[in-house]
Amino acid sequence: MQVSEFQSLIRSRYDATDRARGPSKTFVWFAEEFGELAHAIGKHERGDGDPANLREEFADCLAWMCTLANICDVDLEEAIREKYLTDGGPKGTK
Ligand SMILES: [Mg+2]
């Protein structure tokens, strides 16, 4: 699956609700998902993680990233191409 396909899937399922919520409130949901991912990574690092839950939290974060991109009218695949694939990508840090 391409990034654009996943972004389109998220748009087709949730766009009306996501646009009604708006970027600021959606960012709060995104931040909450980051917290869930942080918790899952912490458990993984301590050796008591749940691999299925860790995968789920990564997927949730990507889904919310797609949501934010959709309601901000950003094509994520194009953004990734511009930043990371053009001219060998960024030098040094991301
Ligand atoms: Mg989650």
PDB file of all heavy atoms in Angstrom, residues 64-87:
ATOM      1  N   TRP A  64      -3.810   9.094  12.288  1.00  0.00           N
ATOM      2  CA  TRP A  64      -4.105  10.466  12.718  1.00  0.00           C
ATOM      3  C   TRP A  64      -3.247  11.467  11.965  1.00  0.00           C
ATOM      4  O   TRP A  64      -3.677  12.597  11.703  1.00  0.00           O
ATOM      5  CB  TRP A  64      -3.963  10.601  14.231  1.00  0.00           C
ATOM      6  CG  TRP A  64      -5.164  10.042  14.930  1.00  0.00           C
ATOM      7  CD1 TRP A  64      -5.277   8.825  15.534  1.00  0.00           C
ATOM      8  CD2 TRP A  64      -6.449  10.663  15.051  1.00  0.00           C
ATOM      9  NE1 TRP A  64      -6.552   8.644  16.025  1.00  0.00           N
ATOM     10  CE2 TRP A  64      -7.284   9.761  15.744  1.00  0.00           C
ATOM     11  CE3 TRP A  64      -6.967  11.881  14.653  1.00  0.00           C
ATOM     12  CZ2 TRP A  64      -8.613  10.052  16.034  1.00  0.00           C
ATOM     13  CZ3 TRP A  64      -8.301  12.175  14.944  1.00  0.00           C
ATOM     14  CH2 TRP A  64      -9.103  11.273  15.639  1.00  0.00           C
ATOM     15  N   MET A  65      -2.034  11.089  11.595  1.00  0.00           N
ATOM     16  CA  MET A  65      -1.194  11.955  10.758  1.00  0.00           C
ATOM     17  C   MET A  65      -1.875  12.176   9.409  1.00  0.00           C
ATOM     18  O   MET A  65      -1.918  13.301   8.892  1.00  0.00           O
ATOM     19  CB  MET A  65       0.183  11.325  10.563  1.00  0.00           C
ATOM     20  CG  MET A  65       1.087  12.080   9.608  1.00  0.00           C
ATOM     21  SD  MET A  65       1.670  13.648  10.236  1.00  0.00           S
ATOM     22  CE  MET A  65       2.978  13.069  11.292  1.00  0.00           C
ATOM     23  N   CYS A  66      -2.428  11.097   8.846  1.00  0.00           N
ATOM     24  CA  CYS A  66      -3.156  11.216   7.575  1.00  0.00           C
ATOM     25  C   CYS A  66      -4.380  12.111   7.741  1.00  0.00           C
ATOM     26  O   CYS A  66      -4.690  12.929   6.862  1.00  0.00           O
ATOM     27  CB  CYS A  66      -3.568   9.836   7.065  1.00  0.00           C
ATOM     28  SG  CYS A  66      -2.200   8.862   6.428  1.00  0.00           S
ATOM     29  N   THR A  67      -5.073  11.968   8.858  1.00  0.00           N
ATOM     30  CA  THR A  67      -6.237  12.814   9.116  1.00  0.00           C
ATOM     31  C   THR A  67      -5.847  14.287   9.127  1.00  0.00           C
ATOM     32  O   THR A  67      -6.491  15.127   8.482  1.00  0.00           O
ATOM     33  CB  THR A  67      -6.884  12.429  10.463  1.00  0.00           C
ATOM     34  OG1 THR A  67      -7.473  11.140  10.336  1.00  0.00           O
ATOM     35  CG2 THR A  67      -7.942  13.426  10.891  1.00  0.00           C
ATOM     36  N   LEU A  68      -4.796  14.602   9.865  1.00  0.00           N
ATOM     37  CA  LEU A  68      -4.350  16.000   9.919  1.00  0.00           C
ATOM     38  C   LEU A  68      -3.956  16.507   8.542  1.00  0.00           C
ATOM     39  O   LEU A  68      -4.297  17.631   8.165  1.00  0.00           O
ATOM     40  CB  LEU A  68      -3.173  16.136  10.891  1.00  0.00           C
ATOM     41  CG  LEU A  68      -3.554  16.253  12.355  1.00  0.00           C
ATOM     42  CD1 LEU A  68      -2.317  16.106  13.229  1.00  0.00           C
ATOM     43  CD2 LEU A  68      -4.255  17.574  12.638  1.00  0.00           C
ATOM     44  N   ALA A  69      -3.244  15.691   7.796  1.00  0.00           N
ATOM     45  CA  ALA A  69      -2.844  16.096   6.441  1.00  0.00           C
ATOM     46  C   ALA A  69      -4.087  16.329   5.584  1.00  0.00           C
ATOM     47  O   ALA A  69      -4.159  17.321   4.841  1.00  0.00           O
ATOM     48  CB  ALA A  69      -1.939  15.032   5.818  1.00  0.00           C
ATOM     49  N   ASN A  70      -5.069  15.452   5.693  1.00  0.00           N
ATOM     50  CA  ASN A  70      -6.295  15.614   4.897  1.00  0.00           C
ATOM     51  C   ASN A  70      -6.993  16.933   5.197  1.00  0.00           C
ATOM     52  O   ASN A  70      -7.352  17.678   4.275  1.00  0.00           O
ATOM     53  CB  ASN A  70      -7.260  14.457   5.155  1.00  0.00           C
ATOM     54  CG  ASN A  70      -6.837  13.189   4.453  1.00  0.00           C
ATOM     55  OD1 ASN A  70      -6.107  13.223   3.463  1.00  0.00           O
ATOM     56  ND2 ASN A  70      -7.275  12.051   4.981  1.00  0.00           N
ATOM     57  N   ILE A  71      -7.183  17.231   6.462  1.00  0.00           N
ATOM     58  CA  ILE A  71      -7.965  18.426   6.785  1.00  0.00           C
ATOM     59  C   ILE A  71      -7.143  19.704   6.626  1.00  0.00           C
ATOM     60  O   ILE A  71      -7.710  20.793   6.625  1.00  0.00           O
ATOM     61  CB  ILE A  71      -8.635  18.349   8.173  1.00  0.00           C
ATOM     62  CG1 ILE A  71      -7.616  18.250   9.303  1.00  0.00           C
ATOM     63  CG2 ILE A  71      -9.608  17.182   8.213  1.00  0.00           C
ATOM     64  CD1 ILE A  71      -8.253  18.206  10.688  1.00  0.00           C
ATOM     65  N   CYS A  72      -5.816  19.551   6.474  1.00  0.00           N
ATOM     66  CA  CYS A  72      -4.951  20.704   6.151  1.00  0.00           C
ATOM     67  C   CYS A  72      -4.626  20.740   4.658  1.00  0.00           C
ATOM     68  O   CYS A  72      -3.805  21.553   4.212  1.00  0.00           O
ATOM     69  CB  CYS A  72      -3.665  20.651   6.972  1.00  0.00           C
ATOM     70  SG  CYS A  72      -3.921  20.916   8.742  1.00  0.00           S
ATOM     71  N   ASP A  73      -5.272  19.856   3.893  1.00  0.00           N
ATOM     72  CA  ASP A  73      -5.094  19.797   2.434  1.00  0.00           C
ATOM     73  C   ASP A  73      -3.632  19.593   2.031  1.00  0.00           C
ATOM     74  O   ASP A  73      -3.123  20.244   1.115  1.00  0.00           O
ATOM     75  CB  ASP A  73      -5.677  21.053   1.760  1.00  0.00           C
ATOM     76  CG  ASP A  73      -7.156  21.213   2.062  1.00  0.00           C
ATOM     77  OD1 ASP A  73      -7.887  20.196   2.000  1.00  0.00           O
ATOM     78  OD2 ASP A  73      -7.588  22.333   2.376  1.00  0.00           O
ATOM     79  N   VAL A  74      -2.967  18.675   2.739  1.00  0.00           N
ATOM     80  CA  VAL A  74      -1.580  18.324   2.429  1.00  0.00           C
ATOM     81  C   VAL A  74      -1.558  16.899   1.875  1.00  0.00           C
ATOM     82  O   VAL A  74      -2.126  15.984   2.480  1.00  0.00           O
ATOM     83  CB  VAL A  74      -0.690  18.410   3.694  1.00  0.00           C
ATOM     84  CG1 VAL A  74       0.689  17.803   3.453  1.00  0.00           C
ATOM     85  CG2 VAL A  74      -0.569  19.864   4.143  1.00  0.00           C
ATOM     86  N   ASP A  75      -0.914  16.741   0.734  1.00  0.00           N
ATOM     87  CA  ASP A  75      -0.693  15.420   0.147  1.00  0.00           C
ATOM     88  C   ASP A  75       0.581  14.864   0.779  1.00  0.00           C
ATOM     89  O   ASP A  75       1.687  15.321   0.485  1.00  0.00           O
ATOM     90  CB  ASP A  75      -0.534  15.567  -1.367  1.00  0.00           C
ATOM     91  CG  ASP A  75      -0.305  14.247  -2.080  1.00  0.00           C
ATOM     92  OD1 ASP A  75       0.353  13.350  -1.502  1.00  0.00           O
ATOM     93  OD2 ASP A  75      -0.761  14.120  -3.228  1.00  0.00           O
ATOM     94  N   LEU A  76       0.411  13.896   1.688  1.00  0.00           N
ATOM     95  CA  LEU A  76       1.559  13.389   2.444  1.00  0.00           C
ATOM     96  C   LEU A  76       2.620  12.766   1.547  1.00  0.00           C
ATOM     97  O   LEU A  76       3.811  12.948   1.772  1.00  0.00           O
ATOM     98  CB  LEU A  76       1.090  12.333   3.448  1.00  0.00           C
ATOM     99  CG  LEU A  76       0.778  12.793   4.855  1.00  0.00           C
ATOM    100  CD1 LEU A  76       0.388  11.588   5.718  1.00  0.00           C
ATOM    101  CD2 LEU A  76       1.943  13.527   5.473  1.00  0.00           C
ATOM    102  N   GLU A  77       2.191  12.004   0.554  1.00  0.00           N
ATOM    103  CA  GLU A  77       3.165  11.357  -0.324  1.00  0.00           C
ATOM    104  C   GLU A  77       3.997  12.408  -1.062  1.00  0.00           C
ATOM    105  O   GLU A  77       5.214  12.273  -1.196  1.00  0.00           O
ATOM    106  CB  GLU A  77       2.462  10.420  -1.303  1.00  0.00           C
ATOM    107  CG  GLU A  77       3.426   9.470  -1.979  1.00  0.00           C
ATOM    108  CD  GLU A  77       2.717   8.304  -2.637  1.00  0.00           C
ATOM    109  OE1 GLU A  77       2.095   7.495  -1.912  1.00  0.00           O
ATOM    110  OE2 GLU A  77       2.771   8.215  -3.863  1.00  0.00           O
ATOM    111  N   GLU A  78       3.340  13.467  -1.510  1.00  0.00           N
ATOM    112  CA  GLU A  78       4.050  14.552  -2.184  1.00  0.00           C
ATOM    113  C   GLU A  78       5.011  15.245  -1.213  1.00  0.00           C
ATOM    114  O   GLU A  78       6.156  15.566  -1.572  1.00  0.00           O
ATOM    115  CB  GLU A  78       3.031  15.562  -2.721  1.00  0.00           C
ATOM    116  CG  GLU A  78       3.624  16.690  -3.519  1.00  0.00           C
ATOM    117  CD  GLU A  78       2.519  17.614  -4.032  1.00  0.00           C
ATOM    118  OE1 GLU A  78       1.572  17.127  -4.671  1.00  0.00           O
ATOM    119  OE2 GLU A  78       2.608  18.822  -3.766  1.00  0.00           O
ATOM    120  N   ALA A  79       4.550  15.460   0.019  1.00  0.00           N
ATOM    121  CA  ALA A  79       5.404  16.112   1.021  1.00  0.00           C
ATOM    122  C   ALA A  79       6.639  15.253   1.315  1.00  0.00           C
ATOM    123  O   ALA A  79       7.752  15.777   1.432  1.00  0.00           O
ATOM    124  CB  ALA A  79       4.610  16.361   2.302  1.00  0.00           C
ATOM    125  N   ILE A  80       6.423  13.953   1.435  1.00  0.00           N
ATOM    126  CA  ILE A  80       7.550  13.039   1.698  1.00  0.00           C
ATOM    127  C   ILE A  80       8.515  13.055   0.521  1.00  0.00           C
ATOM    128  O   ILE A  80       9.741  13.119   0.705  1.00  0.00           O
ATOM    129  CB  ILE A  80       7.025  11.610   1.955  1.00  0.00           C
ATOM    130  CG1 ILE A  80       6.273  11.560   3.287  1.00  0.00           C
ATOM    131  CG2 ILE A  80       8.176  10.603   1.933  1.00  0.00           C
ATOM    132  CD1 ILE A  80       5.441  10.308   3.477  1.00  0.00           C
ATOM    133  N   ARG A  81       7.955  13.030  -0.674  1.00  0.00           N
ATOM    134  CA  ARG A  81       8.804  13.049  -1.878  1.00  0.00           C
ATOM    135  C   ARG A  81       9.645  14.331  -1.913  1.00  0.00           C
ATOM    136  O   ARG A  81      10.848  14.280  -2.149  1.00  0.00           O
ATOM    137  CB  ARG A  81       7.942  12.933  -3.139  1.00  0.00           C
ATOM    138  CG  ARG A  81       8.745  12.780  -4.424  1.00  0.00           C
ATOM    139  CD  ARG A  81       7.877  12.566  -5.663  1.00  0.00           C
ATOM    140  NE  ARG A  81       6.945  11.462  -5.524  1.00  0.00           N
ATOM    141  CZ  ARG A  81       5.610  11.587  -5.383  1.00  0.00           C
ATOM    142  NH1 ARG A  81       5.041  12.781  -5.392  1.00  0.00           N
ATOM    143  NH2 ARG A  81       4.846  10.528  -5.276  1.00  0.00           N
ATOM    144  N   GLU A  82       8.994  15.469  -1.666  1.00  0.00           N
ATOM    145  CA  GLU A  82       9.709  16.751  -1.690  1.00  0.00           C
ATOM    146  C   GLU A  82      10.832  16.802  -0.663  1.00  0.00           C
ATOM    147  O   GLU A  82      11.932  17.262  -0.945  1.00  0.00           O
ATOM    148  CB  GLU A  82       8.734  17.905  -1.406  1.00  0.00           C
ATOM    149  CG  GLU A  82       7.824  18.240  -2.557  1.00  0.00           C
ATOM    150  CD  GLU A  82       6.777  19.293  -2.176  1.00  0.00           C
ATOM    151  OE1 GLU A  82       6.787  19.790  -1.026  1.00  0.00           O
ATOM    152  OE2 GLU A  82       5.939  19.582  -3.025  1.00  0.00           O
ATOM    153  N   LYS A  83      10.521  16.323   0.566  1.00  0.00           N
ATOM    154  CA  LYS A  83      11.498  16.482   1.660  1.00  0.00           C
ATOM    155  C   LYS A  83      12.570  15.401   1.658  1.00  0.00           C
ATOM    156  O   LYS A  83      13.737  15.680   1.920  1.00  0.00           O
ATOM    157  CB  LYS A  83      10.759  16.481   2.998  1.00  0.00           C
ATOM    158  CG  LYS A  83      11.668  16.421   4.221  1.00  0.00           C
ATOM    159  CD  LYS A  83      11.888  17.757   4.854  1.00  0.00           C
ATOM    160  CE  LYS A  83      12.990  17.708   5.883  1.00  0.00           C
ATOM    161  NZ  LYS A  83      12.642  18.282   7.146  1.00  0.00           N
ATOM    162  N   TYR A  84      12.167  14.148   1.384  1.00  0.00           N
ATOM    163  CA  TYR A  84      13.092  13.036   1.596  1.00  0.00           C
ATOM    164  C   TYR A  84      13.634  12.376   0.338  1.00  0.00           C
ATOM    165  O   TYR A  84      14.600  11.620   0.417  1.00  0.00           O
ATOM    166  CB  TYR A  84      12.433  11.975   2.494  1.00  0.00           C
ATOM    167  CG  TYR A  84      12.309  12.462   3.914  1.00  0.00           C
ATOM    168  CD1 TYR A  84      11.126  13.034   4.373  1.00  0.00           C
ATOM    169  CD2 TYR A  84      13.389  12.413   4.781  1.00  0.00           C
ATOM    170  CE1 TYR A  84      11.019  13.522   5.655  1.00  0.00           C
ATOM    171  CE2 TYR A  84      13.299  12.893   6.068  1.00  0.00           C
ATOM    172  CZ  TYR A  84      12.115  13.449   6.497  1.00  0.00           C
ATOM    173  OH  TYR A  84      12.021  13.945   7.773  1.00  0.00           O
ATOM    174  N   LEU A  85      13.018  12.625  -0.795  1.00  0.00           N
ATOM    175  CA  LEU A  85      13.458  11.932  -2.002  1.00  0.00           C
ATOM    176  C   LEU A  85      14.081  12.853  -3.029  1.00  0.00           C
ATOM    177  O   LEU A  85      14.743  12.394  -3.954  1.00  0.00           O
ATOM    178  CB  LEU A  85      12.285  11.165  -2.633  1.00  0.00           C
ATOM    179  CG  LEU A  85      11.618  10.134  -1.715  1.00  0.00           C
ATOM    180  CD1 LEU A  85      10.461   9.470  -2.421  1.00  0.00           C
ATOM    181  CD2 LEU A  85      12.613   9.107  -1.217  1.00  0.00           C
ATOM    182  N   THR A  86      13.869  14.153  -2.894  1.00  0.00           N
ATOM    183  CA  THR A  86      14.417  15.102  -3.854  1.00  0.00           C
ATOM    184  C   THR A  86      15.842  15.471  -3.478  1.00  0.00           C
ATOM    185  O   THR A  86      16.125  15.758  -2.302  1.00  0.00           O
ATOM    186  CB  THR A  86      13.539  16.378  -3.897  1.00  0.00           C
ATOM    187  OG1 THR A  86      12.196  15.983  -4.227  1.00  0.00           O
ATOM    188  CG2 THR A  86      14.050  17.355  -4.951  1.00  0.00           C
ATOM    189  N   ASP A  87      16.737  15.435  -4.435  1.00  0.00           N
ATOM    190  CA  ASP A  87      18.142  15.815  -4.216  1.00  0.00           C
ATOM    191  C   ASP A  87      18.795  15.024  -3.089  1.00  0.00           C
ATOM    192  O   ASP A  87      19.589  15.570  -2.305  1.00  0.00           O
ATOM    193  CB  ASP A  87      18.266  17.318  -3.917  1.00  0.00           C
ATOM    194  CG  ASP A  87      17.766  18.174  -5.084  1.00  0.00           C
ATOM    195  OD1 ASP A  87      17.927  17.725  -6.239  1.00  0.00           O
ATOM    196  OD2 ASP A  87      17.220  19.261  -4.835  1.00  0.00           O
TER     197      ASP A  87
END
